[in-house]
Amino acid sequence: MAQKKLSIRIDGQLISAEEGQTILQAAKANGKYIPTLCALDGLTPVGACRVCLVEVSGVDRLFPACTTPIQDGMSVTTNSPRLTRYRRISVELLLIERNHVCAVCVSNGHCELQSMATAFGINTVEFAYNYPKLSLDTSHPRFVLDHNRCILCTRCVRVCAELEGAHVWDLTSRGIHARIVSEMNEKWGQATSCTSCGKCVQACPTGALAEKGWAVEEMVKNLGTVTTLVHRRGVEV
Amino acid sequence: MKRITIEPVSRIEGHGKITIQLDDKGHVAGTEFHVTQIRGFEKFTEGRPYYEMPGITARICGICPISHLLASSKACDAIMAVRIPPAARKLRELVHCAQIVQSHALSFFYLAAPDLLLGMDSDPATRNVMGVIAQHPELARDGIELRKFGLQVVEVLAHERVHPSWIVPGGVATPLGVQARDRMLSELQPAKAIAERTIKFFKGALDNYKEEISVFGSFPTMYAGLVDGKGNLRLYDGSLRFRSATGEIVEDQIAAEDYKQWIGEASLRESYLKAPFFKPQGFPGGVYRVGPLGRLNAADRCGTPAADAEFREFHERFGVVAHSAFLYHYARLVEIIYALERIEVLLNDPNILDTHVRATAGVNALEGVGMIEAPRGTLIHHYKVNEEGAITWANLIVATGHNNLAIGRSVQQVSEHYIDGTKLTEGMLNHVSAVVRAYDPCLSCSTHADGSPAMTIQLLDVEGELLDEVSN
């Protein structure tokens, strides 16, 4: 059965979109760019990073485009000085929260957080760095988890649960104490449900999850493989 | 008692300070050489995966990051227990020689030349690289060209001039192409001509520096450097040799993993820089020197024709073991010739184009040591890892460290020679700084002193009252 069509405006342009779509999906389908970090096409959106914030006419607060469903007659603004400022702050807060030292990172040059910061022209931050002392989990034979570089986007959690079906990853604690954990806070190497498929590594936007053995700048993620697999779900071959 | 402080010591890499204690008659009672910054790399790398160490430790230095990349990668090779492909070994030596050329050119033309060409007592306002450009434009141009050549070879090979990620555990990231090789070869001859011109010029001017040669750290010590099985000078590989002040070989063919049997490290009250010493002779008696002078004293020959001719002349002039720290400048120029000759040999080796340039492995040994000759001397990286490959302990002996005791003694010698009475002159101040400069120390190994520094010597009496002050 065909989806009901809704009429919305994005940046003033009248767009016909399907009921149930998020603002982000409707925008993408119509060639409108909204920056994203935690969103990964095909996975359940969670609105973790706040980079995709948009303005909706008649409402003062901002909405994450990835989790907000469209409504008939909605008018969305994807770009404004206010949005630029809030998006920039969101990325800056990610940068100061943990220890993102691009120069010595395996993902330097191939990092979505770095690209986003560059796109926003962030070369200094207005908040003090937090410099937490965080651990690494090197126990997996092929992969490594570095909490210093994690932005809690939960792509790894979702890709493992929704695509691989293993649900190795989860979040523990709240706020600034939140951490990605494997199984019930076991060492990754001891996680019996992990199939070592590596989808979490490929989906990770930063160097937080990486393959072992790559030197600085060498960890190139293959996001395409993950999104291709996502779209093949339920497709009979 | 009065105390003179020189802070910072200028035209060196990093931040240093000198204090000179005077007695009541204004004679030098004692001197101290301080390295005033702490880096902490050995501590904060604990927990990191070993294969990240080359990239992290390269940040110790912006002048010779290649040295740390190589020593660190060699330590990682040992942890992986791999024999890297022959082409990778050659490419690593090639990029290392290019770095030696650029780093030595920096030391000689940019940092030392203002003293040597414009005079130790010349106007400090122009006693810098800009002054050299104004008064000796040809030589300054040569210096810039030579440094450019070295940096361009680094860039062609490693794709970046500073902190490249090309040198990796197990070898190098990408092979060398024919066009890149030919480009480097085409630019080699002008660089060799500059090196030959410069050493000829320097030798011609040696008579002007008789006083400096006699008092600039001119005292017997041991010397250390890497040599191959035949006693040839080696920069990338080879084993460590110690030669005594009188010329006998004290220890030879010390493998990287055995360094701790021979080298002890003492902590000094006045400095963040540790003082390595030759263990059999204890601390502080086991003073030895490394770097260009240490290497030319330790080796029997260089192993390339033009450098060997210069090596023989050097030792004919100053004996089997040359003891003056002033001769570091001379030795640096000999080594530039050697490095350029090695670049030529390596580029003409057909195997250098081989595409197999990286060995892969996991953790096969829980400990690894990498040792190379950095521009400023023997550099040692020593790591311990757990079975998952995370660093549990690290020890770095950075080249300048080996010279710490000798630099301290040289400062004392120069101070005693040039300082007397209670009136300071700027030239005196500069002589004391210049002997430190001769060693080309890399103190922080990452910060750079400005070309025209704010250097201050203060003369204080017992109560701390300022008697005299000189700054430039």
Side-chain angles (χ1 to χ4, degrees):
Chain A
M1 198 181 84
Q3 291 279 332
K4 189 183 168 191
K5 292 283 183 186
L6 303 179
S7 293
I8 63 166
R9 282 183 187 274
I10 298 182
D11 296 333
Q13 187 185 334
L14 194 61
I15 281 165
S16 174
E18 290 174 3
E19 186 177 29
Q21 279 189 316
T22 62
I23 296 173
L24 181 65
Q25 285 168 331
K28 258 193 183 169
N30 288 277
K32 295 277 181 189
Y33 173 73
I34 298 173
T36 58
L37 259 182
C38 68
L40 189 58
D41 201 14
L43 298 181
T44 308
V46 291
C49 72
R50 319 309 278 182
V51 167
C52 69
L53 290 174
V54 292
E55 290 172 356
V56 175
S57 292
V59 191
D60 193 39
R61 72 180 181 90
L62 304 174
F63 290 86
C66 67
T67 55
T68 310
I70 55 166
Q71 291 179 8
D72 205 22
M74 187 182 244
S75 179
V76 176
T77 303
T78 65
N79 228 328
S80 71
R82 184 185 174 207
L83 288 173
T84 304
R85 166 137 183 84
Y86 275 86
R87 286 171 184 164
R88 197 187 149 102
I89 288 173
S90 299
V91 174
E92 281 191 35
L93 290 172
L94 291 175
L95 291 171
I96 61 127
E97 186 172 343
R98 298 198 179 182
N99 304 306
H100 298 281
V101 188
C102 299
V104 297
C105 179
V106 290
S107 286
N108 187 14
H110 318 286
C111 169
E112 291 183 49
L113 177 65
Q114 188 184 40
S115 305
M116 196 60 71
T118 309
F120 290 153
I122 300 171
N123 40 32
T124 54
V125 291
E126 33 181 315
F127 312 101
Y129 283 102
N130 196 32
Y131 294 125
K133 190 169 170 57
L134 297 173
S135 62
L136 285 86
D137 186 343
T138 51
S139 60
H140 193 284
R142 285 173 51 205
F143 310 123
V144 60
L145 163 62
D146 186 349
H147 290 291
N148 293 286
R149 300 168 180 162
C150 175
I151 57 169
L152 299 172
C153 69
T154 68
R155 278 191 193 175
C156 55
V157 177
R158 289 172 284 150
V159 80
C160 186
E162 296 175 20
L163 186 57
E164 180 62 9
H167 204 143
V168 173
W169 297 109
D170 247 314
L171 270 180
T172 183
S173 302
R174 295 176 64 81
I176 208 163
H177 304 293
R179 300 281 182 274
I180 292 291
V181 287
S182 49
E183 291 192 338
M184 300 298 280
N185 209 3
E186 296 289 330
K187 285 267 189 189
W188 191 1
Q190 271 89 61
T192 49
S193 58
C194 176
T195 62
S196 298
C197 71
K199 288 187 185 70
C200 55
V201 173
Q202 301 306 329
C204 174
T206 70
L209 291 169
E211 291 165 5
K212 275 190 172 177
W214 292 119
V216 170
E217 297 178 16
E218 289 195 309
M219 183 65 235
V220 183
K221 304 285 176 77
N222 191 354
L223 205 57
T225 313
V226 176
T227 47
T228 306
L229 287 170
V230 166
H231 288 295
R232 273 196 204 150
R233 273 185 305 182
V235 177
E236 287 184 28
V237 187
Chain B
M1 291 281 280
K2 291 148 194 160
R3 175 180 289 177
I4 304 171
T5 307
I6 305 180
E7 184 180 19
V9 180
S10 63
R11 274 186 281 130
I12 57 168
E13 290 96 4
H15 295 176
K17 183 174 90 168
I18 294 168
T19 52
I20 306 165
Q21 287 282 349
L22 300 182
D23 63 17
D24 293 337
K25 291 174 182 162
H27 299 305
V28 174
T31 60
E32 282 179 348
F33 174 60
H34 316 260
V35 178
T36 52
Q37 64 266 291
I38 187 160
R39 305 299 304 281
F41 275 77
E42 284 128 319
K43 196 66 193 168
F44 69 64
T45 52
E46 284 176 9
R48 302 304 311 174
Y50 72 90
Y51 50 80
E52 286 188 0
M53 290 300 274
I56 296 174
T57 57
R59 265 69 192 181
I60 291 171
C61 190
I63 302 288
C64 58
I66 304 291
S67 307
H68 289 285
L69 281 164
L70 289 171
S72 182
S73 293
K74 283 178 92 172
C76 293
D77 298 343
I79 287 167
M80 295 153 75
V82 292
R83 197 171 61 220
I84 71 168
R89 200 210 65 74
K90 288 168 188 165
L91 287 167
R92 281 185 181 183
E93 186 185 347
L94 181 60
V95 76
H96 189 37
C97 287
Q99 178 205 228
I100 293 268
V101 170
Q102 73 86 6
S103 176
H104 280 3
L106 172 77
S107 172
F108 184 80
F109 291 96
Y110 291 63
L111 305 182
D115 293 332
L116 303 179
L117 298 180
L118 308 177
M120 301 269 179
D121 301 301
S122 66
D123 179 6
T126 53
R127 195 179 56 218
N128 52 44
V129 71
M130 301 313 287
V132 174
I133 290 170
Q135 291 198 29
H136 301 270
E138 291 303 318
L139 187 122
R141 196 170 290 123
D142 275 357
I144 292 166
E145 283 295 324
L146 195 57
R147 184 142 194 270
K148 189 171 96 178
F149 171 79
L151 281 168
Q152 281 184 337
V153 171
V154 172
E155 189 180 24
V156 167
L157 288 168
H159 317 300
E160 285 168 276
R161 290 184 178 197
V162 184
H163 299 141
S165 53
W166 178 72
I167 302 158
V168 294
V172 295
T174 51
L176 174 63
V178 180
Q179 284 183 335
R181 192 247 340 241
D182 293 347
R183 187 184 147 198
M184 289 187 278
L185 271 174
S186 70
E187 289 165 5
L188 186 65
Q189 293 314 320
K192 285 174 83 173
I194 291 172
E196 281 159 22
R197 264 204 302 278
T198 309
I199 199 165
K200 198 175 165 193
F201 166 81
F202 184 80
K203 286 188 292 191
L206 266 178
D207 283 348
N208 302 339
Y209 308 117
K210 278 185 176 157
E211 186 180 356
E212 282 82 0
I213 291 170
S214 68
V215 297
F216 266 41
S218 185
F219 45 79
T221 62
M222 286 192 297
Y223 295 89
L226 296 182
V227 292
D228 67 12
K230 293 174 181 167
N232 291 310
L233 168 69
R234 301 301 296 168
L235 296 173
Y236 170 70
D237 45 20
S239 308
L240 192 61
R241 171 188 278 184
F242 283 89
R243 194 189 284 278
S244 76
T246 47
E248 296 83 31
I249 295 170
V250 183
E251 282 300 332
D252 203 3
Q253 299 302 307
I254 299 172
E257 56 268 29
D258 297 328
Y259 81 96
K260 265 184 177 284
Q261 289 180 35
W262 307 103
I263 298 173
E265 289 181 272
S267 293
L268 303 180
R269 174 188 55 77
E270 72 271 17
S271 180
Y272 281 121
L273 182 60
K274 282 190 194 171
F277 57 94
F278 184 62
K279 259 188 183 170
Q281 296 185 8
F283 176 80
V287 181
Y288 62 94
R289 287 186 263 193
V290 300
L293 182 67
R295 288 189 284 257
L296 292 200
N297 278 333
D300 299 327
R301 68 192 75 78
C302 291
T304 56
D308 270 341
E310 294 296 342
F311 182 94
R312 281 192 297 274
E313 188 181 337
F314 177 84
H315 286 294
E316 276 163 19
R317 282 170 184 263
F318 299 103
V320 177
V321 184
H323 284 303
S324 173
F326 187 84
L327 299 174
Y328 268 97
H329 298 306
Y330 190 167
R332 220 163 264 133
L333 296 176
V334 176
E335 284 195 339
I336 290 177
I337 291 173
Y338 168 75
L340 291 169
E341 285 185 300
R342 283 301 299 166
I343 289 173
E344 188 164 26
V345 169
L346 289 161
L347 286 176
N348 284 317
D349 184 335
N351 178 251
I352 197 121
L353 298 172
D354 197 295
T355 52
H356 180 221
V357 292
R358 189 170 190 171
T360 54
V363 176
N364 289 307
L366 297 183
E367 196 168 349
V369 184
M371 180 164 70
I372 63 149
E373 282 296 335
R376 289 153 193 80
T378 315
L379 172 65
I380 299 167
H381 281 223
H382 182 191
Y383 309 145
K384 291 179 186 174
V385 296
N386 62 20
E387 287 174 19
E388 297 171 0
I391 297 283
T392 56
W393 178 90
N395 187 38
L396 314 176
I397 303 184
V398 179
T400 296
H402 300 282
N403 286 336
N404 198 3
L405 290 172
I407 293 174
R409 282 175 60 177
S410 304
V411 167
Q412 173 101 15
Q413 189 183 36
V414 172
S415 302
E416 282 171 359
H417 184 82
Y418 288 99
I419 298 174
D420 202 11
T422 54
K423 186 68 188 165
L424 297 177
T425 67
E426 200 282 332
M428 174 279 280
L429 170 158
N430 191 44
H431 274 91
V432 179
S433 297
V435 74
V436 177
R437 228 167 268 146
Y439 289 90
D440 188 22
C442 191
L443 299 184
S444 68
C445 273
S446 74
T447 54
H448 310 266
D450 189 21
S452 57
M455 176 160 58
T456 307
I457 294 187
Q458 289 188 326
L459 202 58
L460 307 173
D461 68 11
V462 190
E463 281 79 37
E465 286 289 312
L466 187 68
L467 292 180
D468 197 1
E469 183 175 281
V470 179
S471 64
N472 61 355

